[in-house]
């Protein structure tokens, strides 16, 4: 006698497969094991209306046929008919959650492309009804070309219809063979799923309608990217235009502290360490707190409102062009705050080469530690002029710096994915949350955490490096007529480095600032502050702010070269340490340091010589 036809229950996690399995088979269940793996095999018996027996297997939930765990691999292999210890299934019952139709349909479409006899159990209809969502089953069935049955597994509703549909597909279908290849074009399935779920949704609740409405614009292939660029543009304009007043307060406080120290302490070594090294050195970094917080207000708002996932979706197309997926977008996005959490977030990428690529390019995202460097140079050299009404030149330059970093990452990923980390990217598998109004409290907590982290850095690593640098630039004391910044220990080291950096437009002070900035980029600012203050100690008592000093001493070409350098240079010890930990060795961090310094050198040189050619030297 022929064995009973084998039917498998498949679908996304939590679609209700097991609930449906229990409802259909009742107590007639067996639990075994698939050979060679620790995954349990759940099977049971059910009878069709004509009395024919069916063997039903319940499979682990998965989002696609691209498994990221042993459970999911079993699901794939059973469905394809190549799982050891399992027959080729005669038909599939695909279970989808009616309240999350567009996400679940993606997998339905991929399964359908296998060509096996299939019926769709549209489960959780009760929840959909509760939410005011009405699905047109006939339209859905026509669009998919599959029988569709509405079910409520936990209430045992729709089971008769499901058995009838099963009898139908088994009657017409021939026994099928293993499937050799799988269509893995997840992006295509995603688009189709969206379209079909829209076509089959007869009525939807208001918030959902609002979300769809916004998404029609936000995810539009042309308007969407323009909107994203516009949002980023406003963000960078705001960084400059909103921060003026609070920066003034911090500078006022810093000036008052320095004046008070100068007025009340005897003029000795300790006083200048306190004033030049600590108050002005650390102060020159802390003054950027308002700009960092404004940047984070935007990032946190975009996240909390649900827009960030849309941005990831828009970027996905761009990223697939360089062999990465939308999955890499979230780690890269966190890297705009800081590459360290960004690199740690790459753990969510299952493909090891895609993950490695993401780690290697994460430092190219403009982290908040670059903002002090950018802001001081832009403030000193780029006039606060309006290019167009409401469009400031300074914000525009900042946006260009961010975009240059992104472009660098795109090129780096493109090259890496064709050489050192060869491979193709996976699909985009993120659920789109509904839009919502962000909670003020959450934003406030997020901002407070950023402020705390930034100030703690200023109080620890930046303070230590600044004090060490102050000591190294203050001694040995230069004889009359010789510049202190050149005669000192730090100055002599910088003179060595200057030989290499002079061709790309760097002067002695910049060469000096680049060394301690290896610890953290912001230190470049306090280092420049310290160097100029020490040289100027006699004439102006170090009271002048850094921007003014730079503007008088550097050419525009030099300043632009310095900006270009910081777009690429891997000047952050913590990032290198995290990359070493996450890649289990020194090989990849060294690759990262090497290519980033090479890019920094080339970019700074190209910028400098182009600017000189335009007469800006
Ligand atoms: N309201 C409602 N809840 C359901 C329905 N079907 C399943 N559930 C519930 O949804 C949850 C997930 O159901 P499961 O049957 O475990 O889902 P699954 O597809 O087997 O999930 P995985 O095995 O993790 O892939 C459980 O809490 C069920 O009780 C339904 O039709 N309506
Ligand atoms: Mg289950």
């Amino acid at each position: 006698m022929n064995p009973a036809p084998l039917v498998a229950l498949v679908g996304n996690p939590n679609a209700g497969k097991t609930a449906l399995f229990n409802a259909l088979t009742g107590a007639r269940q067996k639990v075994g094991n698939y050979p060679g793996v620790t995954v349990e095999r759940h099977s049971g018996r059910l009878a069709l209306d004509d009395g024919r027996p069916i063997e039903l297997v319940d499979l682990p939930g998965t989002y696609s046929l691209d498994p990221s765990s042993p459970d999911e691999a079993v699901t794939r292999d059973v469905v394809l008919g190549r799982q050891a210890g399992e027959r080729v299934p005669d038909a599939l019952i695909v279970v989808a959650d009616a309240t999350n139709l567009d996400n679940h349909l993606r997998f339905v479409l991929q399964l359908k492309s296998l060509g096996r006899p299939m019926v769709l159990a549209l489960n959780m209809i009760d929840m959909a009804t509760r939410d005011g969502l009405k699905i047109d089953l006939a339209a859905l069935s026509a669009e998919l070309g599959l029988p569709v049955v509405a079910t409520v597994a936990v209430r045992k509703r729709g089971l008769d219809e499901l058995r009838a549909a099963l009898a139908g597909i088994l009657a017409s279908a021939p026994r099928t063979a293993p499937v050799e290849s799988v269509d893995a074009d997840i992006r295509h399935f995603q688009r189709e799923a969206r379209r079909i779920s829209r076509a089959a949704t007869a009525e939807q609740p208001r918030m959902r309608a609002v979300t769809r409405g916004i998404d029609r614009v936000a995810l539009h292939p042309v308007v969407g990217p323009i909107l994203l660029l516009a949002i980023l543009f406003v963000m960078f304009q705001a960084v400059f235009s909103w921060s003026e007043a609070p920066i003034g307060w911090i500078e006022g406080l810093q000036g008052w502290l320095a004046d008070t120290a100068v007025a009340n302490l005897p003029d000795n070594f300790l006083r200048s360490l306190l004033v030049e090294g600590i108050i002005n050195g650390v102060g020159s970094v802390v003054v950027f707190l308002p700009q960092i917080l404004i940047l984070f207000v935007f990032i946190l708002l975009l996240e909390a409102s649900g827009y960030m996932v849309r941005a990831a979706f828009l970027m996905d197309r761009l990223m697939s062009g360089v062999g990465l997926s939308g999955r890499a977008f979230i780690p890269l996005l966190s890297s705009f705050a800081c590459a360290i959490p960004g690199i740690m977030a790459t753990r969510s990428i299952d493909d090891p080469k895609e993950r490695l690529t993401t780690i290697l390019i994460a430092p190219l995202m403009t982290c908040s530690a670059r903002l002090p460097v950018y802001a001081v140079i832009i403030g000193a050299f780029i006039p606060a002029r309006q290019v167009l009404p409401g469009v400031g030149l300074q914000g525009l330059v900042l946006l260009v710096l961010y975009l240059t970093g992104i472009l660098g990452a795109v090129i780096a990923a493109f090259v890496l994915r064709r050489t050192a980390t060869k491979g193709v990217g996976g699909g985009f598998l993120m659920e789109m949350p509904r839009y919502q109004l962000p909670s003020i409290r959450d934003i406030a907590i997020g901002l407070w955490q950023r402020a705390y982290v930034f100030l703690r850095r200023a109080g620890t690593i930046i303070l230590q490096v600044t004090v060490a640098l102050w000591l190294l630039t203050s001694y040995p004391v230069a004889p009359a007529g010789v510049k202190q910044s050149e005669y000192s220990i730090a100055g002599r080291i910088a003179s060595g480095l200057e030989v290499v950096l002079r061709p790309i437009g760097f002067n002695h002070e910049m060469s000096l600032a680049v060394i301690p900035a290896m610890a953290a980029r912001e230190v470049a600012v306090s280092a420049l502050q310290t160097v100029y203050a020490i040289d100027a100690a006699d004439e102006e008592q170090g009271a002048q702010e850094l921007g003014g000093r730079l503007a008088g001493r550097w050419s525009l070409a030099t300043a632009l070269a310095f900006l270009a350098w910081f777009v690429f240079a891997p000047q952050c010890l913590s990032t290198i340490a995290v990359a070493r930990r996450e890649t289990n060795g020194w090989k990849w961090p060294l690759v990262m340091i090497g290519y980033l310094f090479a890019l920094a050198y080339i970019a700074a040189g190209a910028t400098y010589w182009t600017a000189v050619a335009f007469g800006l030297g």
Side-chain angles (χ1 to χ4, degrees):
M1 203 190 91
N2 279 340
L6 181 71
V7 175
L9 276 164
V10 261
N12 285 22
N14 280 319
K17 294 175 295 299
T18 301
L20 206 53
F21 178 72
N22 292 337
L24 285 168
T25 62
R28 291 155 292 170
Q29 296 186 5
K30 265 196 334 209
V31 181
N33 242 319
Y34 286 106
V37 284
T38 56
V39 181
E40 283 181 344
R41 177 180 189 273
H42 293 261
S43 70
R45 291 241 154 197
L46 74 111
L48 296 180
D49 291 340
D50 57 10
R52 257 190 307 158
I54 300 282
E55 180 175 18
L56 192 65
V57 283
D58 181 21
L59 295 174
T62 175
Y63 292 104
S64 73
L65 291 174
D66 178 17
S68 57
S69 71
D71 287 25
E72 296 185 13
V74 163
T75 297
R76 179 198 57 191
D77 291 341
V78 169
V79 167
L80 297 185
R82 58 191 195 203
Q83 170 65 45
E86 190 70 275
R87 290 182 285 148
V88 178
D90 298 276
L92 305 177
I93 299 176
V94 188
V95 188
D97 176 353
T99 64
N100 199 353
L101 196 56
D102 50 355
N103 284 308
H104 283 218
L105 277 186
R106 191 174 51 207
F107 188 32
V108 175
L109 288 168
Q110 189 179 32
L111 288 166
K112 187 184 167 236
S113 73
L114 302 177
R116 287 205 190 290
M118 219 170 106
V119 51
L120 174 63
L122 195 59
N123 196 35
M124 311 234 185
I125 286 291
D126 55 332
M127 304 298 277
T129 309
R130 188 204 60 185
D131 290 356
L133 185 69
K134 253 199 205 108
I135 296 169
D136 180 346
L137 295 182
L140 184 60
S141 172
E143 285 284 355
L144 289 170
L146 292 175
V148 176
V149 178
T151 60
V152 182
V154 288
R155 302 259 169 282
K156 296 192 165 49
R157 271 171 45 198
L159 301 187
D160 291 341
E161 293 87 338
L162 190 58
R163 274 190 291 259
L166 201 54
I169 58 170
L170 283 170
S172 61
R175 289 245 164 182
T176 42
V179 178
E180 291 308 326
S181 71
V182 175
D183 185 352
D185 188 356
I186 290 293
R187 288 184 183 84
H188 166 72
F189 293 132
Q190 169 107 43
R191 272 195 302 277
E192 269 297 286
R194 244 170 228 295
R195 188 186 64 74
I196 294 177
S197 87
R198 212 173 294 150
T201 306
E203 215 175 89
Q204 51 185 337
R206 223 175 59 82
M207 249 340 261
R208 210 179 251 268
V210 169
T211 290
R212 299 274 150 128
I214 298 177
D215 274 348
R216 250 195 291 284
V217 179
L219 298 179
H220 187 276
V222 179
V223 182
I226 295 175
L227 184 70
L228 177 59
L229 200 64
I231 291 173
L232 293 178
F233 179 78
V234 169
M235 177 162 117
F236 293 124
Q237 290 294 321
V239 163
F240 280 97
S241 53
W242 298 357
S243 61
E244 269 172 40
I247 286 182
W249 305 332
I250 297 177
E251 279 175 349
L253 177 68
Q254 183 191 330
W256 177 82
L257 281 174
D259 290 346
T260 312
V262 169
N264 293 301
L265 297 172
D267 184 2
N268 60 13
F269 158 79
L270 272 180
R271 187 179 89 177
S272 52
L273 172 65
L274 182 67
V275 174
E276 300 303 345
I278 298 174
I279 297 178
N280 288 342
V282 174
S284 62
V285 172
V286 170
V287 82
F288 294 101
L289 183 62
Q291 294 182 328
I292 286 172
L293 291 184
I294 291 168
L295 188 68
F296 275 110
V297 167
F298 277 88
I299 292 183
L300 291 169
L301 281 176
L302 291 180
E303 257 169 14
S305 65
Y307 182 76
M308 216 48 131
V309 179
R310 272 76 184 182
F313 180 76
L314 290 172
M315 297 300 292
D316 184 54
R317 216 168 307 166
L318 193 68
M319 297 178 62
S320 71
V322 298
L324 293 176
S325 69
R327 250 178 289 200
F329 182 76
I330 299 284
L332 291 176
L333 197 74
S334 341
S335 302
F336 278 100
C338 173
I340 296 163
I343 287 175
M344 294 193 324
T346 61
R347 287 179 195 172
S348 66
I349 304 175
D350 355 288
D351 182 76
K353 285 185 172 160
E354 185 177 344
R355 171 162 185 244
L356 183 58
T357 314
T358 311
I359 292 176
L360 291 175
I361 65 172
L364 282 169
M365 301 297 120
T366 302
C367 65
S368 49
R370 281 171 174 98
L371 205 55
V373 182
Y374 289 173
V376 79
I377 306 285
I378 290 176
F381 290 92
I382 307 296
R385 181 171 0 111
Q386 301 276 306
V387 192
L388 291 168
V391 180
L393 187 59
Q394 294 186 329
L396 206 57
V397 171
L398 188 63
L399 179 61
V400 168
L401 288 170
Y402 273 74
L403 293 178
T404 310
I406 295 171
L407 183 70
V410 164
I411 296 171
F414 185 85
V415 173
L416 285 166
R417 289 297 261 166
R418 269 155 196 77
T419 54
T421 59
K422 223 184 180 90
V424 283
F428 184 78
L429 295 171
M430 272 191 280
E431 301 202 347
M432 299 270 172
R434 287 186 201 168
Y435 288 105
Q436 57 184 15
L437 284 179
S439 117
I440 306 256
R441 187 163 170 275
D442 290 350
I443 305 280
I445 292 174
L447 276 184
W448 161 247
Q449 286 169 345
R450 299 302 165 181
Y452 176 76
V453 168
F454 178 72
L455 292 175
R456 195 184 55 195
R457 263 166 84 91
T460 53
I461 181 161
I462 295 172
L463 176 65
Q464 290 157 13
V465 176
T466 302
V467 168
L469 183 72
W470 184 86
L471 291 171
L472 290 176
T473 24
S474 300
Y475 297 96
V477 177
V482 179
K483 255 180 145 182
Q484 179 62 35
S485 67
E486 287 177 11
Y487 192 77
S488 60
I489 302 173
R492 290 175 209 190
I493 299 173
S495 300
L497 190 63
E498 197 188 346
V499 176
V500 185
L501 294 181
R502 183 160 288 279
I504 60 167
F506 280 27
N507 57 32
H508 186 261
E509 290 80 8
M510 290 157 83
S511 309
L512 204 159
V514 161
I515 305 172
M518 211 39 231
R521 293 179 176 88
E522 310 94 303
V523 173
V525 171
S526 57
L528 286 171
Q529 164 73 32
T530 304
V531 176
Y532 283 115
I534 281 179
D535 277 342
D538 310 324
E539 345 129 24
E540 20 174 333
Q541 255 312 326
Q544 199 183 336
E545 47 93 36
L546 183 57
R549 283 194 173 126
L550 298 182
R553 289 175 169 90
W554 294 10
S555 73
L556 184 55
T558 289
L560 293 177
F562 200 59
L563 286 178
W565 173 269
F566 274 95
V567 170
F568 297 101
Q571 307 241 124
C572 178
L573 285 184
S574 326
T575 299
I576 294 166
V578 168
R580 196 204 69 81
R581 198 180 68 205
E582 296 293 315
T583 61
N584 294 318
W586 275 112
K587 176 179 168 197
W588 293 109
L590 288 175
V591 168
M592 182 167 102
I593 297 168
Y595 96 85
L596 287 175
F597 269 131
L599 276 182
Y601 194 83
I602 294 168
T607 306
Y608 178 72
W609 288 107
T610 309
V612 167
F614 278 96
L616 304 174

